[in-house]
Amino acid sequence: MQKLLILGVLAFFCCTGLQAQEVLTLDKALQISQTGSPDLQLSLLNLERSQKNLEAQRAALKSRLSLDVTPLNYSNQRRFDTRVSEWYTNENLTTNARFLISQPILPTDGTISLSNEFGWQSSNSDAAASQGESQRFYNNLYLTLSQPVFTYNRLKLQLRELELSLENANISYAIQRLNLERNVTEFFYNVYMTQKNLEIAKEELVNTQRSYDIIKNKVDAGLAAREELYQAELNLSTANSSLQNSQVTYENAKDQLKLYLGMDLYEDIVVLADIASNPVQVDMDLAINNGLNSRMELRQREIDIESGQFDLIRTKSLNEFRGDINLRLGITGDDPNLGQVYNNPTRSPSVNVSFNIPIFDWGEKKARIAAQEATIKSQEINLSEEKKQIIIGIRQVYRNLQNQLNQIEIAEQNETNAQLTYEINLERYENGDLTGMDLNLFQTQLSTKKLELAQSLINYKIELLNLKIQSLYDFEKGEAILPNELYLNEETESEK
């Protein structure tokens, strides 16, 4: 069969004079779409964005190190001393650096940090109680713990949301790949049908030209009425017009396919397709069960519900009773001599406990919680309805497959009958027992039946692909499609 298809394509080349065309099979079109399709590229970028956001959040959970340096800070200000009710001028020169290590605590949503500030300060004042100019080195070392209490863990919630976002992006990418396969297949077979229609239009023109030559010879010999020649000329003109229309439709279909695949629009192509009827045994119960267990849309609805639960947690935290505990242990020292900064250190511990106690919010929190609970119930209904849609979709595709097998059988018989009918009536036309108008009707009938057969075969192929997408089970290969196989292989794609 493959050899016959190749010979057919070569013959098509010879007829059209397009030896420079690239032969495009369905498998090759799918391979091109994996890297060239704009839709898949957008989905891939969305996946990359989710991945990088999660990487950034995980990196934020590690220790942060920072260094703040102030090389020069000078001020000269007029101040008022309330202790002695006296104005004075203060001149101050400072240079310092502050090193900070901050570590978020994921299990408790707290933060522990270590800070060390080292500097030098020169201060001069004309106040009465001032001892003149003072120049000293100083160092402040602090260990600080900040811990919220009686509230939810914001760090864990944010991290989990980003994980779900990445999972959802992976699912969307996998679904996009399946949709890409379906769309490429439809565009590909659309080009094949217009190509087939063009071939049939050329056959019609050849047959019509043959009929015209027959009747012209008869009219010239006085064996037929001249009105038969007029009808033959009309048929020939119609056949030429149909050929031109088919050529335009064919070129437009090729442009649409190249656009969707991301190919060079100036590259000419011709499709090579095997649409032979090979019936596949389909088990509807197996398809439904595998669809319910594997369809990624169901996991997306579950993610929606889980995200809704997170929003409910945030909603409940509005006007919440919350506490904050801040502990700090520090040691400071200063001295004009750098080596004696900590000869007489000062310990500076501090404890701060605070509470936010809501009193009355006029029912705002209760109303918002009820609204979010309604949203979650809607998402649960969506999950239930999605399961029903999966079942209905698989049933419809299964019925369509059975119907398409019957349509193929009918179309094959119709094409055979139409071919025999045309050949018989062509002989009658040559013998002068049939008019040119009647022969044209049989020619049109033959062309229509050929196209109907090709369309029936293509419809079966597309419905078989739809069943594969709906059930995530490949009945042609007899194996299930694991959702993980459709996810992005991050290392491979990054290398690309």
Side-chain angles (χ1 to χ4, degrees), residues 257-298:
L257 176 61
K258 289 185 286 187
L259 178 64
Y260 192 78
L261 295 181
M263 295 180 63
D264 182 4
L265 296 179
Y266 293 97
E267 182 178 5
D268 203 3
I269 61 173
V270 61
V271 299
L272 175 61
D274 181 7
I275 60 172
S277 176
N278 298 311
V280 177
Q281 294 295 325
V282 175
D283 187 338
M284 185 173 66
D285 293 334
L286 173 61
I288 292 175
N289 291 334
N290 199 76
L292 293 176
N293 292 329
S294 304
R295 280 286 291 274
M296 295 166 289
E297 290 87 348
L298 296 178

Side-chain angles (χ1 to χ4, degrees), residues 374-393:
T375 300
I376 294 175
K377 290 181 180 179
S378 299
Q379 293 165 342
E380 291 173 346
I381 292 175
N382 290 338
L383 174 60
S384 176
E385 290 301 309
E386 186 72 39
K387 293 180 179 179
K388 296 178 182 178
Q389 290 299 325
I390 289 174
I391 295 174
I392 291 176

Side-chain angles (χ1 to χ4, degrees), residues 189 192-193 274-278 404-405 407-409 411-412 415 450-464:
Y189 282 130
Y192 176 80
M193 280 301 299
D274 181 7
I275 60 172
S277 176
N278 298 311
Q404 287 304 323
L405 288 175
Q407 294 300 320
I408 290 173
E409 185 177 349
E412 288 175 342
E415 185 196 27
K450 287 182 177 180
L451 290 175
E452 287 179 356
L453 174 58
Q455 189 64 61
S456 298
L457 293 170
I458 290 175
N459 289 343
Y460 181 75
K461 293 281 188 181
I462 292 177
E463 288 301 328
L464 200 58

Side-chain angles (χ1 to χ4, degrees), residues 165-351:
S165 177
L166 177 60
E167 183 181 359
N168 193 37
N170 266 311
I171 292 174
S172 297
Y173 176 76
I175 293 175
Q176 182 61 45
R177 287 182 62 183
L178 289 174
N179 290 334
L180 179 72
E181 183 178 357
R182 174 167 51 196
N183 293 337
V184 169
T185 300
E186 291 178 352
F187 277 115
F188 179 85
Y189 282 130
N190 183 46
V191 174
Y192 176 80
M193 280 301 299
T194 57
Q195 182 176 294
K196 185 72 173 178
N197 192 35
L198 179 60
E199 293 175 5
I200 292 175
K202 291 178 179 179
E203 291 178 3
E204 283 188 0
L205 181 60
V206 171
N207 292 337
T208 305
Q209 182 67 50
R210 177 184 175 188
S211 302
Y212 173 80
D213 293 339
I214 292 173
I215 195 64
K216 186 176 185 304
N217 291 333
K218 288 186 176 183
V219 170
D220 292 342
L223 301 177
R226 180 160 294 276
E227 55 265 25
E228 284 295 321
L229 181 59
Y230 297 152
Q231 182 62 51
E233 291 176 349
L234 178 60
N235 294 343
L236 185 60
S237 177
T238 303
N240 271 302
S241 176
S242 298
L243 177 61
Q244 294 300 321
N245 291 334
S246 298
Q247 183 68 45
V248 171
T249 304
Y250 175 55
E251 295 298 332
N252 291 339
K254 288 196 297 183
D255 282 347
Q256 291 298 319
L257 176 61
K258 289 185 286 187
L259 178 64
Y260 192 78
L261 295 181
M263 295 180 63
D264 182 4
L265 296 179
Y266 293 97
E267 182 178 5
D268 203 3
I269 61 173
V270 61
V271 299
L272 175 61
D274 181 7
I275 60 172
S277 176
N278 298 311
V280 177
Q281 294 295 325
V282 175
D283 187 338
M284 185 173 66
D285 293 334
L286 173 61
I288 292 175
N289 291 334
N290 199 76
L292 293 176
N293 292 329
S294 304
R295 280 286 291 274
M296 295 166 289
E297 290 87 348
L298 296 178
R299 177 54 187 157
Q300 283 186 314
R301 302 292 82 76
E302 292 173 353
I303 291 175
D304 290 341
I305 294 174
E306 193 168 350
S307 298
Q309 296 288 352
F310 294 156
D311 291 336
L312 180 60
I313 292 174
R314 289 195 182 91
T315 303
K316 290 182 177 179
S317 69
L318 294 174
N319 302 320
E320 67 175 347
F321 174 76
R322 170 185 170 142
D324 288 283
I325 300 175
N326 294 287
L327 304 176
R328 188 179 75 167
L329 298 176
I331 181 172
T332 65
D334 62 89
D335 195 270
N337 190 341
L338 177 60
Q340 299 176 4
V341 168
Y342 277 122
N343 282 358
N344 188 23
T346 301
R347 301 185 184 279
S348 54
S350 66
V351 178

